[in-house]
Amino acid sequence: MAFYFKSQFCPYCSQVEEFVFSDEEVSKKLRNFLFVELDIRSEEGSKLARRFGVAETLTLVIYDPQQAPQRGQGEHFPQGRPR
């Protein structure tokens, strides 16, 4: 399972949805998962965010009940934010 934690107020979430999730290669990879999109401010999203230790959006948690969850929080600008 892949849990995608987002917020309507997160500009990076919109960018990822538009440019990354729409990419054919990414789309193919995500088909291997049950993909669950959650608003971190919703009751269900907030509950699961606490369970997985998610503190912010944009976060993708890859969950396998037989292993520890793998969490990735986007580092959008590895060399620093553009000015």
Side-chain angles (χ1 to χ4, degrees):
M1 291 184 83
F3 294 98
Y4 167 52
F5 292 90
K6 63 181 247 175
S7 168
Q8 68 181 12
F9 305 107
C10 170
Y12 301 115
C13 296
S14 298
Q15 290 176 356
V16 163
E17 290 164 20
E18 183 176 352
F19 299 110
V20 178
F21 291 160
S22 65
D23 180 85
E24 189 176 324
E25 288 299 313
V26 173
S27 223
K28 278 202 274 191
K29 299 277 186 198
L30 289 175
R31 286 188 204 120
N32 294 319
F33 297 93
L34 174 59
F35 189 80
V36 181
E37 192 172 304
L38 296 158
D39 184 330
I40 199 164
R41 294 176 163 227
S42 72
E43 185 177 335
E44 182 181 20
S46 178
K47 180 180 172 184
L48 284 169
R50 282 191 303 276
R51 178 178 175 189
F52 292 122
V54 174
E56 60 190 18
T57 60
L58 146 84
T59 301
L60 185 65
V61 175
I62 305 300
Y63 177 71
D64 178 342
Q66 297 177 0
Q67 297 180 10
Q70 302 296 310
R71 182 177 59 234
Q73 292 170 308
E75 175 55 51
H76 308 288
F77 305 105
Q79 286 78 32
R81 291 185 178 266
R83 299 184 190 271

